[in-house]
Amino acid sequence: MHSDYIAKYVEDIIAVSDEEIAESIVYFLERAKTLVEGSGAVVLAGAEKAKWNLGQKTVLVPSGGNIDLNLVSKVIERGLSQRGRLVRVSVIVQDRPGTLMKLTNLIAEKGANILDVKHDRVRQGVGLSETAIEFLIETRSNQHVSEIHDAFRAIGGRII
């Protein structure tokens, strides 16, 4: 009985991952300026995954704003990271005065914004005269991230 009802009213069923749902939540935040919980964003995730041709007369109904703020923070960071808009870059460089300034100047020249910096001189794989520096950077795209990596390599840095 239930399968007859489903067959009559349901055209397609799409399974989506947590990652795909998270991407939809970020999309709603960025483009629609709307906070939607996972169960509400699943409709967009499914439409994207199935590559439905939605046209102008199609309506997707996102619903629910009951989402934990800590989860929103994680979803936003992950979504921005996947789009190359927020990246953690770790680089091993010579531990000399002025090296950090060179790296931060390169990041500024490339038009990225530094959110956080961490030094680690005792990390495994770091030589006695080296340091590992991890940056959290706001970027424009994955291509932009590649340009920053190339700039670090050009001055002798090893991306890890």
Side-chain angles (χ1 to χ4, degrees):
M1 176 157 169
H2 294 299
S3 62
D4 292 338
Y5 179 81
I6 292 171
K8 182 176 179 181
Y9 294 105
V10 176
E11 185 176 314
D12 202 359
I13 297 175
I14 305 298
V16 294
S17 69
D18 287 346
E19 296 294 326
E20 291 163 326
I21 295 169
E23 286 180 37
S24 293
I25 292 171
V26 171
Y27 179 90
F28 278 114
L29 285 168
E30 271 190 327
R31 303 278 174 90
K33 310 299 185 229
T34 302
L35 178 61
V36 178
E37 68 185 54
S39 63
V42 75
V43 66
L44 178 61
E48 288 286 316
K49 185 171 186 175
K51 297 181 176 35
W52 290 334
N53 184 8
L54 299 177
Q56 292 182 344
K57 293 186 179 183
T58 303
V59 175
L60 299 176
V61 182
S63 60
N66 184 23
I67 187 168
D68 181 80
L69 289 179
N70 291 325
L71 180 60
V72 171
S73 175
K74 289 178 189 177
V75 166
I76 291 170
E77 185 171 338
R78 182 167 291 167
L80 292 174
S81 178
Q82 288 174 341
R83 289 182 172 87
R85 305 228 356 246
L86 183 66
V87 65
R88 291 188 190 279
V89 177
S90 294
V91 60
I92 296 176
V93 291
Q94 291 298 308
D95 192 11
R96 294 188 187 133
T99 302
L100 179 59
M101 184 180 70
K102 285 180 187 175
L103 294 172
T104 58
N105 283 340
L106 283 172
I107 293 168
E109 288 169 12
K110 295 294 179 185
N113 186 36
I114 300 169
L115 300 177
D116 191 30
V117 180
K118 294 180 183 167
H119 275 264
D120 188 350
R121 290 179 174 89
V122 295
R123 184 178 187 156
Q124 193 167 8
V126 175
L128 291 175
S129 63
E130 296 176 322
T131 185
I133 303 175
E134 179 183 89
F135 295 96
L136 178 61
I137 309 171
E138 287 178 322
T139 53
R140 293 186 300 270
S141 65
N142 287 315
Q143 176 61 37
H144 192 206
V145 173
S146 293
E147 291 170 12
I148 294 167
H149 284 183
D150 292 344
F152 283 177
R153 287 185 191 103
I155 64 163
R158 295 189 327 264
I159 306 297
I160 52 174

